[in-house]
Short mmCIF file of all heavy atoms in Angstrom, two decimals:
data_model
loop_
_atom_site.label_atom_id
_atom_site.label_comp_id
_atom_site.label_asym_id
_atom_site.label_seq_id
_atom_site.Cartn_x
_atom_site.Cartn_y
_atom_site.Cartn_z
N MET X 1 20.11 -0.54 3.21
CA MET X 1 19.08 0.19 3.94
C MET X 1 19.47 0.18 5.41
O MET X 1 19.79 -0.89 5.92
CB MET X 1 17.74 -0.56 3.68
CG MET X 1 16.59 0.21 4.15
SD MET X 1 15.00 -0.35 3.39
CE MET X 1 15.09 -2.06 3.48
N SER X 2 19.45 1.30 6.04
CA SER X 2 19.97 1.45 7.42
C SER X 2 18.98 0.94 8.41
O SER X 2 19.38 0.70 9.55
CB SER X 2 20.36 2.91 7.64
OG SER X 2 19.22 3.71 7.52
N GLN X 3 17.74 0.83 8.14
CA GLN X 3 16.81 0.35 9.10
C GLN X 3 15.63 -0.40 8.35
O GLN X 3 15.65 -0.43 7.17
CB GLN X 3 16.21 1.50 9.92
CG GLN X 3 15.35 2.47 9.15
CD GLN X 3 14.81 3.61 10.00
OE1 GLN X 3 15.58 4.24 10.67
NE2 GLN X 3 13.56 3.86 9.96
N GLU X 4 14.74 -0.99 9.20
CA GLU X 4 13.64 -1.69 8.54
C GLU X 4 12.80 -0.76 7.68
O GLU X 4 12.55 0.37 8.11
CB GLU X 4 12.78 -2.33 9.63
CG GLU X 4 11.72 -3.24 9.06
CD GLU X 4 10.99 -4.00 10.14
OE1 GLU X 4 11.63 -4.36 11.16
OE2 GLU X 4 9.83 -4.21 9.93
N ALA X 5 12.35 -1.25 6.58
CA ALA X 5 11.55 -0.37 5.72
C ALA X 5 10.21 -0.06 6.35
O ALA X 5 9.61 -0.86 7.04
CB ALA X 5 11.26 -1.14 4.39
N ALA X 6 9.77 1.16 6.17
CA ALA X 6 8.45 1.60 6.57
C ALA X 6 7.47 1.31 5.44
O ALA X 6 7.84 1.11 4.33
CB ALA X 6 8.46 3.09 6.92
N ARG X 7 6.14 1.24 5.81
CA ARG X 7 5.11 1.00 4.84
C ARG X 7 4.06 2.05 5.05
O ARG X 7 3.72 2.43 6.16
CB ARG X 7 4.49 -0.35 5.03
CG ARG X 7 5.43 -1.46 4.84
CD ARG X 7 4.80 -2.74 5.18
NE ARG X 7 4.73 -3.44 3.92
CZ ARG X 7 4.40 -4.70 3.74
NH1 ARG X 7 4.13 -5.44 4.76
NH2 ARG X 7 4.36 -5.30 2.59
N ILE X 8 3.52 2.49 3.91
CA ILE X 8 2.44 3.50 3.97
C ILE X 8 1.42 3.12 2.88
O ILE X 8 1.76 2.64 1.84
CB ILE X 8 2.94 4.95 3.72
CG1 ILE X 8 1.90 5.97 3.89
CG2 ILE X 8 3.61 5.11 2.42
CD1 ILE X 8 1.46 6.19 5.31
N LEU X 9 0.16 3.36 3.14
CA LEU X 9 -0.91 3.19 2.19
C LEU X 9 -1.38 4.58 1.75
O LEU X 9 -1.79 5.34 2.62
CB LEU X 9 -2.08 2.38 2.78
CG LEU X 9 -3.16 2.02 1.84
CD1 LEU X 9 -2.67 1.08 0.72
CD2 LEU X 9 -4.30 1.31 2.63
N LEU X 10 -1.22 4.88 0.46
CA LEU X 10 -1.66 6.14 -0.04
C LEU X 10 -2.89 6.01 -0.89
O LEU X 10 -2.97 5.01 -1.68
CB LEU X 10 -0.50 6.75 -0.92
CG LEU X 10 0.82 7.11 -0.25
CD1 LEU X 10 1.79 7.56 -1.36
CD2 LEU X 10 0.62 8.22 0.74
N GLY X 11 -3.77 6.98 -0.71
CA GLY X 11 -4.93 7.04 -1.61
C GLY X 11 -4.52 7.88 -2.77
O GLY X 11 -3.92 8.97 -2.56
N VAL X 12 -4.83 7.48 -3.99
CA VAL X 12 -4.49 8.22 -5.17
C VAL X 12 -5.68 8.35 -6.05
O VAL X 12 -6.09 7.44 -6.83
CB VAL X 12 -3.33 7.53 -5.95
CG1 VAL X 12 -2.86 8.40 -7.12
CG2 VAL X 12 -2.20 7.23 -5.05
N ARG X 13 -6.36 9.49 -5.99
CA ARG X 13 -7.54 9.75 -6.85
C ARG X 13 -7.12 9.99 -8.25
O ARG X 13 -6.20 10.69 -8.51
CB ARG X 13 -8.28 10.95 -6.27
CG ARG X 13 -8.93 10.60 -4.91
CD ARG X 13 -9.75 11.76 -4.43
NE ARG X 13 -10.91 11.96 -5.26
CZ ARG X 13 -11.69 13.03 -5.15
NH1 ARG X 13 -11.48 13.96 -4.29
NH2 ARG X 13 -12.73 13.12 -5.97
N GLY X 14 -7.81 9.35 -9.13
CA GLY X 14 -7.53 9.45 -10.55
C GLY X 14 -6.74 8.32 -11.12
O GLY X 14 -6.49 8.22 -12.33
N MET X 15 -6.29 7.37 -10.22
CA MET X 15 -5.52 6.22 -10.67
C MET X 15 -6.52 5.10 -11.00
O MET X 15 -6.73 4.14 -10.31
CB MET X 15 -4.60 5.78 -9.54
CG MET X 15 -3.63 4.71 -9.95
SD MET X 15 -2.50 4.20 -8.67
CE MET X 15 -3.61 3.43 -7.48
N THR X 16 -7.17 5.27 -12.25
CA THR X 16 -8.25 4.36 -12.54
C THR X 16 -7.96 3.45 -13.73
O THR X 16 -8.79 2.56 -14.01
CB THR X 16 -9.54 5.18 -12.88
OG1 THR X 16 -9.22 6.09 -13.89
CG2 THR X 16 -10.00 5.93 -11.63
N THR X 17 -6.85 3.65 -14.44
CA THR X 17 -6.52 2.84 -15.56
C THR X 17 -5.15 2.18 -15.39
O THR X 17 -4.39 2.56 -14.52
CB THR X 17 -6.48 3.67 -16.89
OG1 THR X 17 -5.39 4.63 -16.74
CG2 THR X 17 -7.78 4.46 -17.06
N ALA X 18 -4.87 1.22 -16.27
CA ALA X 18 -3.59 0.54 -16.17
C ALA X 18 -2.45 1.59 -16.42
O ALA X 18 -1.42 1.53 -15.82
CB ALA X 18 -3.50 -0.59 -17.17
N GLU X 19 -2.68 2.49 -17.37
CA GLU X 19 -1.68 3.47 -17.66
C GLU X 19 -1.38 4.44 -16.49
O GLU X 19 -0.20 4.76 -16.16
CB GLU X 19 -2.11 4.33 -18.90
CG GLU X 19 -1.11 5.42 -19.25
CD GLU X 19 -1.59 6.34 -20.33
OE1 GLU X 19 -2.58 6.07 -21.02
OE2 GLU X 19 -0.97 7.42 -20.55
N SER X 20 -2.47 4.84 -15.81
CA SER X 20 -2.28 5.71 -14.66
C SER X 20 -1.62 4.94 -13.51
O SER X 20 -0.77 5.52 -12.80
CB SER X 20 -3.60 6.30 -14.19
OG SER X 20 -4.54 5.35 -13.79
N ARG X 21 -1.91 3.70 -13.34
CA ARG X 21 -1.20 2.89 -12.31
C ARG X 21 0.27 2.78 -12.63
O ARG X 21 1.12 2.88 -11.75
CB ARG X 21 -1.83 1.48 -12.19
CG ARG X 21 -3.19 1.54 -11.45
CD ARG X 21 -3.69 0.14 -11.08
NE ARG X 21 -4.07 -0.63 -12.28
CZ ARG X 21 -5.23 -0.54 -12.89
NH1 ARG X 21 -6.13 0.31 -12.47
NH2 ARG X 21 -5.51 -1.25 -13.94
N THR X 22 0.60 2.57 -13.90
CA THR X 22 1.98 2.50 -14.34
C THR X 22 2.70 3.85 -14.04
O THR X 22 3.83 3.84 -13.53
CB THR X 22 2.07 2.16 -15.79
OG1 THR X 22 1.50 0.87 -15.95
CG2 THR X 22 3.52 2.14 -16.33
N ARG X 23 2.07 4.96 -14.34
CA ARG X 23 2.67 6.27 -14.10
C ARG X 23 2.92 6.50 -12.59
O ARG X 23 3.95 7.02 -12.22
CB ARG X 23 1.74 7.41 -14.61
CG ARG X 23 1.71 7.39 -16.17
CD ARG X 23 0.76 8.46 -16.70
NE ARG X 23 1.18 9.82 -16.32
CZ ARG X 23 0.33 10.79 -16.01
NH1 ARG X 23 -0.96 10.63 -16.04
NH2 ARG X 23 0.83 11.95 -15.60
N VAL X 24 1.93 6.12 -11.79
CA VAL X 24 2.08 6.23 -10.32
C VAL X 24 3.29 5.39 -9.85
O VAL X 24 4.09 5.80 -9.08
CB VAL X 24 0.84 5.92 -9.57
CG1 VAL X 24 1.02 5.68 -8.12
CG2 VAL X 24 -0.25 6.99 -9.85
N HIS X 25 3.24 4.13 -10.28
CA HIS X 25 4.34 3.21 -9.86
C HIS X 25 5.73 3.72 -10.23
O HIS X 25 6.66 3.75 -9.41
CB HIS X 25 4.08 1.81 -10.55
CG HIS X 25 5.04 0.77 -10.17
ND1 HIS X 25 6.23 0.58 -10.69
CD2 HIS X 25 4.89 -0.19 -9.17
CE1 HIS X 25 6.86 -0.46 -10.15
NE2 HIS X 25 6.08 -0.94 -9.19
N GLU X 26 5.85 4.19 -11.49
CA GLU X 26 7.16 4.69 -11.95
C GLU X 26 7.58 5.93 -11.21
O GLU X 26 8.75 6.09 -10.86
CB GLU X 26 7.13 4.94 -13.41
CG GLU X 26 7.03 3.64 -14.30
CD GLU X 26 6.86 3.89 -15.74
OE1 GLU X 26 6.66 5.06 -16.15
OE2 GLU X 26 6.92 2.95 -16.49
N ALA X 27 6.65 6.84 -10.92
CA ALA X 27 7.01 8.06 -10.21
C ALA X 27 7.46 7.75 -8.77
O ALA X 27 8.46 8.31 -8.31
CB ALA X 27 5.73 8.98 -10.17
N LEU X 28 6.77 6.81 -8.11
CA LEU X 28 7.16 6.51 -6.76
C LEU X 28 8.47 5.71 -6.72
O LEU X 28 9.36 6.01 -5.85
CB LEU X 28 6.04 5.72 -6.01
CG LEU X 28 4.84 6.52 -5.80
CD1 LEU X 28 3.65 5.65 -5.28
CD2 LEU X 28 5.03 7.67 -4.83
N ARG X 29 8.61 4.76 -7.60
CA ARG X 29 9.87 3.95 -7.64
C ARG X 29 11.05 4.86 -7.98
O ARG X 29 12.18 4.49 -7.65
CB ARG X 29 9.78 2.79 -8.65
CG ARG X 29 8.93 1.67 -8.21
CD ARG X 29 9.54 0.83 -7.13
NE ARG X 29 10.76 0.17 -7.59
CZ ARG X 29 11.70 -0.29 -6.88
NH1 ARG X 29 11.59 -0.28 -5.57
NH2 ARG X 29 12.75 -0.90 -7.35
N GLY X 30 10.88 5.97 -8.66
CA GLY X 30 11.94 6.82 -9.01
C GLY X 30 12.46 7.71 -7.84
O GLY X 30 13.46 8.36 -7.99
N LEU X 31 11.74 7.70 -6.73
CA LEU X 31 12.11 8.51 -5.59
C LEU X 31 13.25 7.77 -4.83
O LEU X 31 13.16 6.57 -4.55
CB LEU X 31 10.97 8.74 -4.66
CG LEU X 31 9.87 9.69 -5.21
CD1 LEU X 31 8.68 9.66 -4.27
CD2 LEU X 31 10.35 11.07 -5.50
N PRO X 32 14.27 8.55 -4.35
CA PRO X 32 15.29 7.91 -3.50
C PRO X 32 14.69 7.36 -2.26
O PRO X 32 13.78 7.99 -1.64
CB PRO X 32 16.20 9.09 -3.16
CG PRO X 32 15.91 10.13 -4.19
CD PRO X 32 14.51 9.94 -4.62
N GLY X 33 15.04 6.17 -1.89
CA GLY X 33 14.60 5.56 -0.62
C GLY X 33 13.36 4.67 -0.77
O GLY X 33 12.98 3.96 0.15
N VAL X 34 12.68 4.70 -1.95
CA VAL X 34 11.48 3.87 -2.16
C VAL X 34 11.97 2.55 -2.69
O VAL X 34 12.69 2.46 -3.68
CB VAL X 34 10.51 4.55 -3.15
CG1 VAL X 34 9.36 3.60 -3.52
CG2 VAL X 34 9.94 5.80 -2.53
N HIS X 35 11.57 1.47 -2.00
CA HIS X 35 12.06 0.14 -2.31
C HIS X 35 10.98 -0.79 -2.89
O HIS X 35 11.34 -1.83 -3.45
CB HIS X 35 12.60 -0.51 -1.09
CG HIS X 35 13.73 0.31 -0.46
ND1 HIS X 35 14.95 0.49 -1.02
CD2 HIS X 35 13.77 1.02 0.68
CE1 HIS X 35 15.70 1.28 -0.29
NE2 HIS X 35 15.01 1.65 0.76
N GLY X 36 9.73 -0.40 -2.81
CA GLY X 36 8.70 -1.25 -3.34
C GLY X 36 7.42 -0.48 -3.45
O GLY X 36 7.06 0.37 -2.60
N VAL X 37 6.64 -0.76 -4.56
CA VAL X 37 5.36 -0.09 -4.75
C VAL X 37 4.42 -1.14 -5.25
O VAL X 37 4.76 -1.93 -6.23
CB VAL X 37 5.45 1.04 -5.80
CG1 VAL X 37 4.16 1.65 -6.08
CG2 VAL X 37 6.49 2.07 -5.38
N GLU X 38 3.25 -1.24 -4.65
CA GLU X 38 2.20 -2.11 -5.13
C GLU X 38 0.92 -1.29 -5.37
O GLU X 38 0.31 -0.84 -4.42
CB GLU X 38 1.95 -3.25 -4.16
CG GLU X 38 3.09 -4.22 -3.99
CD GLU X 38 2.82 -5.41 -3.09
OE1 GLU X 38 1.67 -5.82 -2.99
OE2 GLU X 38 3.73 -5.85 -2.39
N ALA X 39 0.56 -1.16 -6.62
CA ALA X 39 -0.58 -0.45 -6.93
C ALA X 39 -1.60 -1.48 -7.41
O ALA X 39 -1.39 -2.22 -8.36
CB ALA X 39 -0.36 0.54 -8.07
N GLY X 40 -2.76 -1.55 -6.71
CA GLY X 40 -3.80 -2.52 -7.08
C GLY X 40 -4.83 -1.93 -8.04
O GLY X 40 -4.58 -0.92 -8.68
N ASP X 41 -5.99 -2.55 -8.10
CA ASP X 41 -7.05 -2.10 -8.98
C ASP X 41 -7.84 -0.98 -8.39
O ASP X 41 -8.70 -0.39 -9.04
CB ASP X 41 -7.97 -3.30 -9.32
CG ASP X 41 -7.34 -4.33 -10.21
OD1 ASP X 41 -6.31 -3.94 -10.91
OD2 ASP X 41 -7.73 -5.50 -10.21
N THR X 42 -7.66 -0.70 -7.11
CA THR X 42 -8.35 0.43 -6.47
C THR X 42 -7.46 1.63 -6.52
O THR X 42 -6.33 1.58 -6.97
CB THR X 42 -8.67 0.06 -5.00
OG1 THR X 42 -7.40 -0.11 -4.28
CG2 THR X 42 -9.47 -1.25 -4.86
N GLU X 43 -7.95 2.72 -6.02
CA GLU X 43 -7.17 3.99 -6.04
C GLU X 43 -6.34 4.03 -4.76
O GLU X 43 -6.32 5.03 -4.05
CB GLU X 43 -8.16 5.19 -6.18
CG GLU X 43 -8.76 5.27 -7.51
CD GLU X 43 -9.62 6.46 -7.68
OE1 GLU X 43 -10.35 6.94 -6.72
OE2 GLU X 43 -9.56 7.09 -8.78
N GLN X 44 -5.58 3.00 -4.50
CA GLN X 44 -4.67 2.89 -3.40
C GLN X 44 -3.37 2.30 -3.84
O GLN X 44 -3.37 1.49 -4.74
CB GLN X 44 -5.22 2.04 -2.30
CG GLN X 44 -6.47 2.62 -1.59
CD GLN X 44 -6.93 1.74 -0.48
OE1 GLN X 44 -6.78 0.48 -0.53
NE2 GLN X 44 -7.54 2.31 0.51
N VAL X 45 -2.30 2.67 -3.18
CA VAL X 45 -0.98 2.14 -3.44
C VAL X 45 -0.26 1.98 -2.14
O VAL X 45 -0.31 2.85 -1.25
CB VAL X 45 -0.22 3.10 -4.45
CG1 VAL X 45 0.05 4.43 -3.89
CG2 VAL X 45 1.05 2.43 -4.88
N GLU X 46 0.46 0.82 -2.01
CA GLU X 46 1.24 0.56 -0.83
C GLU X 46 2.72 0.79 -1.21
O GLU X 46 3.17 0.32 -2.24
CB GLU X 46 1.06 -0.87 -0.33
CG GLU X 46 1.88 -1.17 0.90
CD GLU X 46 1.72 -2.58 1.35
OE1 GLU X 46 0.63 -3.10 1.39
OE2 GLU X 46 2.77 -3.19 1.71
N VAL X 47 3.37 1.60 -0.40
CA VAL X 47 4.77 1.90 -0.62
C VAL X 47 5.63 1.44 0.52
O VAL X 47 5.34 1.72 1.68
CB VAL X 47 4.94 3.48 -0.86
CG1 VAL X 47 6.38 3.76 -1.21
CG2 VAL X 47 3.97 4.00 -1.86
N ARG X 48 6.74 0.72 0.20
CA ARG X 48 7.77 0.38 1.20
C ARG X 48 8.93 1.30 0.93
O ARG X 48 9.42 1.41 -0.24
CB ARG X 48 8.12 -1.07 1.02
CG ARG X 48 7.00 -2.02 1.48
CD ARG X 48 7.42 -3.49 1.35
NE ARG X 48 8.01 -3.88 0.09
CZ ARG X 48 7.33 -4.10 -1.05
NH1 ARG X 48 6.04 -3.96 -1.08
NH2 ARG X 48 7.99 -4.46 -2.13
N TYR X 49 9.40 1.95 2.01
CA TYR X 49 10.45 2.98 1.83
C TYR X 49 11.32 3.09 3.09
O TYR X 49 10.95 2.63 4.18
CB TYR X 49 9.83 4.27 1.50
CG TYR X 49 9.05 4.89 2.57
CD1 TYR X 49 9.50 5.90 3.39
CD2 TYR X 49 7.77 4.44 2.92
CE1 TYR X 49 8.78 6.47 4.48
CE2 TYR X 49 6.98 4.98 3.89
CZ TYR X 49 7.54 5.96 4.68
OH TYR X 49 6.79 6.53 5.69
N ASP X 50 12.48 3.68 2.90
CA ASP X 50 13.36 3.96 4.02
C ASP X 50 13.07 5.42 4.42
O ASP X 50 13.27 6.38 3.70
CB ASP X 50 14.82 3.89 3.52
CG ASP X 50 15.80 4.15 4.59
OD1 ASP X 50 15.48 4.76 5.62
OD2 ASP X 50 17.03 3.76 4.44
N PRO X 51 12.54 5.59 5.67
CA PRO X 51 12.10 6.95 6.12
C PRO X 51 13.33 7.87 6.34
O PRO X 51 13.11 9.05 6.55
CB PRO X 51 11.34 6.66 7.36
CG PRO X 51 11.81 5.30 7.85
CD PRO X 51 12.18 4.55 6.60
N THR X 52 14.55 7.32 6.29
CA THR X 52 15.69 8.24 6.40
C THR X 52 16.07 8.82 5.07
O THR X 52 16.84 9.76 4.97
CB THR X 52 16.89 7.52 6.96
OG1 THR X 52 17.35 6.48 6.05
CG2 THR X 52 16.66 6.87 8.33
N GLU X 53 15.48 8.31 3.97
CA GLU X 53 15.73 8.78 2.61
C GLU X 53 14.51 9.47 1.98
O GLU X 53 14.70 10.27 1.07
CB GLU X 53 16.18 7.65 1.75
CG GLU X 53 17.50 7.02 2.17
CD GLU X 53 17.89 5.90 1.20
OE1 GLU X 53 17.99 6.15 -0.02
OE2 GLU X 53 18.12 4.83 1.69
N ALA X 54 13.32 9.06 2.33
CA ALA X 54 12.13 9.55 1.69
C ALA X 54 11.04 9.84 2.75
O ALA X 54 11.05 9.22 3.79
CB ALA X 54 11.57 8.52 0.68
N THR X 55 10.23 10.84 2.44
CA THR X 55 9.13 11.15 3.31
C THR X 55 7.78 10.90 2.60
O THR X 55 7.77 10.88 1.38
CB THR X 55 9.17 12.57 3.79
OG1 THR X 55 8.92 13.49 2.70
CG2 THR X 55 10.45 12.96 4.47
N VAL X 56 6.72 10.81 3.33
CA VAL X 56 5.44 10.66 2.79
C VAL X 56 5.09 11.89 1.90
O VAL X 56 4.58 11.78 0.80
CB VAL X 56 4.35 10.43 3.84
CG1 VAL X 56 2.97 10.41 3.23
CG2 VAL X 56 4.60 9.10 4.53
N MET X 57 5.51 13.09 2.39
CA MET X 57 5.25 14.28 1.53
C MET X 57 6.03 14.28 0.28
O MET X 57 5.52 14.77 -0.74
CB MET X 57 5.60 15.55 2.40
CG MET X 57 4.58 15.92 3.40
SD MET X 57 2.86 16.03 2.72
CE MET X 57 3.05 17.30 1.50
N ASP X 58 7.22 13.65 0.21
CA ASP X 58 7.92 13.52 -1.09
C ASP X 58 7.05 12.72 -2.07
O ASP X 58 6.94 13.04 -3.21
CB ASP X 58 9.21 12.77 -0.85
CG ASP X 58 10.30 13.50 -0.03
OD1 ASP X 58 10.24 14.78 -0.06
OD2 ASP X 58 11.16 12.82 0.47
N MET X 59 6.45 11.66 -1.56
CA MET X 59 5.62 10.81 -2.40
C MET X 59 4.37 11.54 -2.87
O MET X 59 4.00 11.49 -4.06
CB MET X 59 5.26 9.56 -1.60
CG MET X 59 6.40 8.67 -1.26
SD MET X 59 5.81 7.39 -0.20
CE MET X 59 7.23 7.18 0.85
N ILE X 60 3.72 12.22 -1.95
CA ILE X 60 2.51 12.97 -2.29
C ILE X 60 2.82 14.09 -3.31
O ILE X 60 2.08 14.20 -4.31
CB ILE X 60 1.85 13.55 -1.04
CG1 ILE X 60 1.25 12.38 -0.24
CG2 ILE X 60 0.81 14.58 -1.38
CD1 ILE X 60 0.78 12.81 1.20
N ARG X 61 3.88 14.79 -3.11
CA ARG X 61 4.29 15.83 -4.07
C ARG X 61 4.62 15.27 -5.45
O ARG X 61 4.22 15.89 -6.47
CB ARG X 61 5.52 16.57 -3.57
CG ARG X 61 5.21 17.59 -2.47
CD ARG X 61 6.50 18.37 -2.13
NE ARG X 61 6.24 19.03 -0.85
CZ ARG X 61 6.82 18.70 0.30
NH1 ARG X 61 7.72 17.69 0.34
NH2 ARG X 61 6.61 19.35 1.42
N ALA X 62 5.23 14.15 -5.48
CA ALA X 62 5.56 13.50 -6.79
C ALA X 62 4.26 13.17 -7.51
O ALA X 62 4.16 13.35 -8.79
CB ALA X 62 6.43 12.28 -6.60
N LEU X 63 3.28 12.64 -6.81
CA LEU X 63 2.04 12.22 -7.47
C LEU X 63 1.23 13.46 -7.87
O LEU X 63 0.62 13.50 -8.90
CB LEU X 63 1.25 11.31 -6.55
CG LEU X 63 2.00 9.95 -6.27
CD1 LEU X 63 1.16 9.13 -5.31
CD2 LEU X 63 2.22 9.23 -7.56
N ARG X 64 1.24 14.46 -6.98
CA ARG X 64 0.51 15.70 -7.34
C ARG X 64 1.09 16.36 -8.50
O ARG X 64 0.39 16.99 -9.38
CB ARG X 64 0.49 16.64 -6.18
CG ARG X 64 -0.46 16.17 -5.07
CD ARG X 64 -0.53 17.13 -3.94
NE ARG X 64 -1.40 16.63 -2.85
CZ ARG X 64 -1.52 17.12 -1.68
NH1 ARG X 64 -0.79 18.17 -1.27
NH2 ARG X 64 -2.38 16.59 -0.81
N HIS X 65 2.40 16.28 -8.68
CA HIS X 65 3.12 16.83 -9.88
C HIS X 65 2.58 16.19 -11.14
O HIS X 65 2.58 16.82 -12.18
CB HIS X 65 4.65 16.65 -9.71
CG HIS X 65 5.42 17.20 -10.86
ND1 HIS X 65 5.55 18.54 -11.04
CD2 HIS X 65 6.04 16.57 -11.85
CE1 HIS X 65 6.30 18.72 -12.11
NE2 HIS X 65 6.60 17.55 -12.66
N LEU X 66 2.19 14.95 -11.08
CA LEU X 66 1.66 14.24 -12.24
C LEU X 66 0.12 14.53 -12.44
O LEU X 66 -0.42 14.07 -13.40
CB LEU X 66 1.82 12.75 -12.07
CG LEU X 66 3.23 12.19 -12.12
CD1 LEU X 66 3.22 10.70 -11.86
CD2 LEU X 66 3.88 12.52 -13.46
N GLY X 67 -0.47 15.22 -11.52
CA GLY X 67 -1.87 15.58 -11.63
C GLY X 67 -2.86 14.65 -10.84
O GLY X 67 -4.00 14.84 -10.97
N PHE X 68 -2.28 13.83 -9.97
CA PHE X 68 -3.15 13.00 -9.16
C PHE X 68 -3.37 13.66 -7.78
O PHE X 68 -2.47 14.40 -7.31
CB PHE X 68 -2.42 11.66 -8.84
CG PHE X 68 -2.32 10.79 -10.13
CD1 PHE X 68 -1.12 10.77 -10.78
CD2 PHE X 68 -3.39 10.08 -10.66
CE1 PHE X 68 -0.93 9.94 -11.95
CE2 PHE X 68 -3.22 9.32 -11.77
CZ PHE X 68 -2.04 9.25 -12.44
N LEU X 69 -4.44 13.45 -7.17
CA LEU X 69 -4.72 13.87 -5.81
C LEU X 69 -4.29 12.71 -4.96
O LEU X 69 -4.75 11.60 -5.13
CB LEU X 69 -6.19 14.19 -5.54
CG LEU X 69 -6.75 15.43 -6.29
CD1 LEU X 69 -8.24 15.57 -6.04
CD2 LEU X 69 -5.99 16.65 -5.86
N ALA X 70 -3.43 12.93 -3.98
CA ALA X 70 -2.87 11.86 -3.19
C ALA X 70 -2.85 12.21 -1.70
O ALA X 70 -2.67 13.46 -1.37
CB ALA X 70 -1.47 11.47 -3.63
N GLY X 71 -3.02 11.29 -0.82
CA GLY X 71 -2.98 11.51 0.61
C GLY X 71 -2.88 10.19 1.32
O GLY X 71 -3.02 9.13 0.75
N MET X 72 -2.59 10.27 2.61
CA MET X 72 -2.54 9.10 3.43
C MET X 72 -3.92 8.51 3.68
O MET X 72 -4.86 9.25 3.88
CB MET X 72 -1.88 9.41 4.77
CG MET X 72 -0.38 9.73 4.58
SD MET X 72 0.55 10.16 6.10
CE MET X 72 -0.37 9.62 7.43
N GLU X 73 -3.96 7.21 3.70
CA GLU X 73 -5.24 6.51 3.93
C GLU X 73 -5.30 6.25 5.48
O GLU X 73 -4.40 6.02 6.12
CB GLU X 73 -5.25 5.18 3.22
CG GLU X 73 -5.47 5.39 1.70
CD GLU X 73 -6.89 5.74 1.36
OE1 GLU X 73 -7.76 4.97 1.71
OE2 GLU X 73 -7.01 6.79 0.72
#
């Protein structure tokens, strides 16, 4: 990683079950530059990523592609 990882908190509407949290986690971890994902019991997920490889919009688009409404908290 070329610089310190950035962190973002994303709101993810519809992430209400263990299965949906797993789907969100896998989708985000599959993006280039994403180094860590923590999805809790709420509709929020914290992502650690390299901003030279991934953007917040990349993450939001990946989650919207799965049918979730996502945005920055």
